[in-house]
Amino acid sequence: TGNMVEWCLPQDIDLEGVEFKSMASGSHKIQSDFIYFRKGPFFGLACFANMPVESELERGARMKSVGVLSPSYTLLYRYMHFLENQVRHQLEMPGHYSHLAAFYEDKKGVLHAGSGSGGSLPPVYWLPSIHRYMYPEMKITHPAGCMSQFIKFFGEQILILWKFALLRKRILIFSPPPVGVVCYRVYCCCCLANVSLPGIGSTVPESKPFFYVNVADIESLEVEVSYVACTTEKIFEEKRELYDVYVDNQNVKTHHGHLQPLLKINGADREKYRRLNEQRQMLLYSQEVGEDYTPCEEDLFVLFFLEENNRIFQTLLEVSASQDKTLTAEHARGMGLDPQGDRSFLMDLLEAYGIDVMLVIDNPCCP
């Protein structure tokens, strides 16, 4: 019968389309996966499993996902282990929902029943506010090592993703299943764009993690001006009006001519990447020698980019408050940017954030 919702609590919540969000297309080829997604004002985490069965009716395989919805995604990771166990249980003993019902009774304070029907929707919680990163309970947002995998996977390319994330571009990451680790890349990508200076970012849309999207999400993506999402469906590549930046595994590309210069790695990017790696090495060393307080790699990663972003915007604000409002090559270097290589990035940044500054960085082709 294809994808269908077989059981849910509460029963009056609007779950239309969730049966496609909680099972990535192409999942039938793999044994297990997990998947983050958005459903209206909620975030979901589902665990998928695929079990061979000797049944002609089920065409030789039984596949299920067990998922949970919450107003915020930061705590969903806590329930991963429970969901993995439950999806196995559902495959082996279909129709036994008592554990799931007990789980819902225990946790239901978090979710407002029936709010899928409109009315006063609860706020959607995007990235947790910055100072919370320093508290230990935030460590469970995503597993340890998800940032280091992100850095290893993209290498210097994360500096390209950083610029696009800071400009609030629509970023779509394609990868065949399994999609779980790709959902983490969406999360890491959003972490690149944090700014904690007051007043900055009020003019730009938030950096929103949409996590997994599929063909059923096309209509809702059409109206979004900024998001980071991932998909397993190759058809999206042809729908250029839905995204600005398309990431195919490690290949970052854009069909917008004016964004092409941002795809080139420059000297300042290499220097940033070198410093990031240096800080990671020092962190790993301090963890090995067992220092009392060592931040986790996630904190280090988030704070590294937060500091870079704050430094850029602090300089831009100071220049815009000065009398001549002139941004020079010296300013660009002070912000850790390449005066020539990052010229178009700076132009886009000033426009996106509505900062009134004059850019006077000489064109390299002139004597």
Side-chain angles (χ1 to χ4, degrees):
T1 48
N3 295 25
M4 55 181 278
V5 176
E6 140 187 356
W7 181 90
C8 73
L9 271 182
Q11 280 156 358
D12 60 347
I13 197 154
D14 167 26
L15 290 179
E16 191 192 346
V18 85
E19 66 273 28
F20 296 104
K21 290 172 183 285
S22 54
M23 276 189 193
S25 35
S27 290
H28 58 277
K29 296 176 187 158
I30 55 174
Q31 292 305 300
S32 63
D33 198 4
F34 63 93
I35 190 163
Y36 280 83
F37 57 90
R38 254 197 77 196
K39 168 65 184 142
F42 302 121
F43 290 95
L45 168 63
C47 286
F48 165 85
N50 181 354
M51 181 174 87
V53 286
E54 286 182 25
S55 152
E56 227 170 275
L57 186 66
E58 294 183 78
R59 293 182 293 183
R62 186 179 296 159
M63 291 173 251
K64 288 183 192 276
S65 265
V66 175
V68 59
L69 288 172
S70 163
S72 161
Y73 66 81
T74 54
L75 299 181
L76 285 173
Y77 179 66
R78 277 187 181 169
Y79 311 129
M80 177 89 84
H81 189 59
F82 170 78
L83 295 173
E84 282 172 341
N85 284 338
Q86 283 306 304
V87 73
R88 281 274 145 227
H89 178 72
Q90 287 302 321
L91 287 175
E92 286 155 17
M93 299 176 65
H96 290 257
Y97 308 120
S98 55
H99 294 312
L100 294 174
F103 174 86
Y104 173 71
E105 284 306 316
D106 186 36
K107 311 285 180 203
K108 69 178 176 187
V110 183
L111 200 66
H112 311 278
S115 57
S117 58
S120 60
L121 293 174
V124 174
Y125 298 98
W126 299 118
L127 287 173
S129 58
I130 296 309
H131 63 276
R132 300 243 334 255
Y133 273 102
M134 305 319 290
Y135 295 161
E137 77 263 18
M138 280 309 297
K139 301 291 185 340
I140 55 91
T141 303
H142 283 83
C146 105
M147 294 292 178
S148 56
Q149 282 174 359
F150 181 68
I151 296 169
K152 277 182 196 137
F153 186 78
F154 285 112
E156 288 180 343
Q157 300 257 46
I158 58 171
L159 278 315
I160 294 171
L161 291 171
W162 163 66
K163 290 174 196 176
F164 286 131
L166 209 53
L167 292 171
R168 299 296 193 262
K169 296 302 176 193
R170 297 169 300 166
I171 301 171
L172 185 63
I173 303 172
F174 167 80
S175 173
V179 80
V181 68
V182 195
C183 289
Y184 288 155
R185 286 176 204 152
V186 169
Y187 166 74
C188 294
C189 218
C190 286
C191 289
L192 299 172
N194 286 318
V195 181
S196 65
L197 297 179
I200 283 290
S202 52
T203 54
V204 292
E206 281 183 283
S207 182
K208 299 178 186 174
F210 270 52
F211 298 111
Y212 177 73
V213 293
N214 61 16
V215 179
D217 294 296
I218 285 176
E219 261 181 52
S220 59
L221 288 178
E222 277 170 344
V223 298
E224 288 296 333
V225 289
S226 169
Y227 68 80
V228 186
C230 61
T231 188
T232 54
E233 296 180 354
K234 205 72 173 136
I235 183 77
F236 271 99
E237 189 170 6
E238 294 163 29
K239 301 197 173 296
R240 291 177 159 198
E241 70 285 0
L242 296 179
Y243 62 84
D244 303 309
V245 181
Y246 188 79
V247 184
D248 186 343
N249 285 313
Q250 282 137 313
N251 183 18
V252 183
K253 48 193 176 180
T254 176
H255 51 87
H256 294 301
H258 71 284
L259 294 178
Q260 295 293 337
L262 274 71
L263 297 174
K264 292 193 184 81
I265 298 274
N266 60 47
D269 295 330
R270 290 196 180 92
E271 172 57 22
K272 263 191 212 65
Y273 188 66
R274 187 192 63 74
R275 278 195 299 118
L276 176 62
N277 272 322
E278 209 170 70
Q279 288 186 23
R280 286 176 66 221
Q281 291 310 318
M282 283 164 64
L283 174 73
L284 295 173
Y285 173 73
S286 64
Q287 284 171 343
E288 272 172 32
V289 296
E291 285 180 14
D292 283 348
Y293 173 72
T294 52
C296 69
E297 196 164 18
E298 183 170 67
D299 290 347
L300 175 114
F301 181 90
V302 169
L303 287 171
F304 179 87
F305 284 100
L306 176 68
E307 282 164 7
E308 291 295 320
N309 298 344
N310 283 352
R311 179 160 59 135
I312 288 172
F313 286 110
Q314 189 64 51
T315 307
L316 293 179
L317 290 177
E318 283 166 11
V319 173
S320 73
S322 69
Q323 260 186 318
D324 64 353
K325 296 184 186 298
T326 305
L327 193 70
T328 63
E330 209 44 57
H331 285 125
R333 279 190 280 272
M335 292 187 276
L337 298 175
D338 184 310
Q340 257 81 48
D342 283 321
R343 185 189 168 89
S344 66
F345 168 58
L346 264 170
M347 304 272 283
D348 287 351
L349 203 63
L350 296 175
E351 191 184 340
Y353 288 80
I355 298 172
D356 181 20
V357 161
M358 261 241 318
L359 201 58
V360 291
I361 294 171
D362 298 328
N363 199 315
C365 63
C366 306

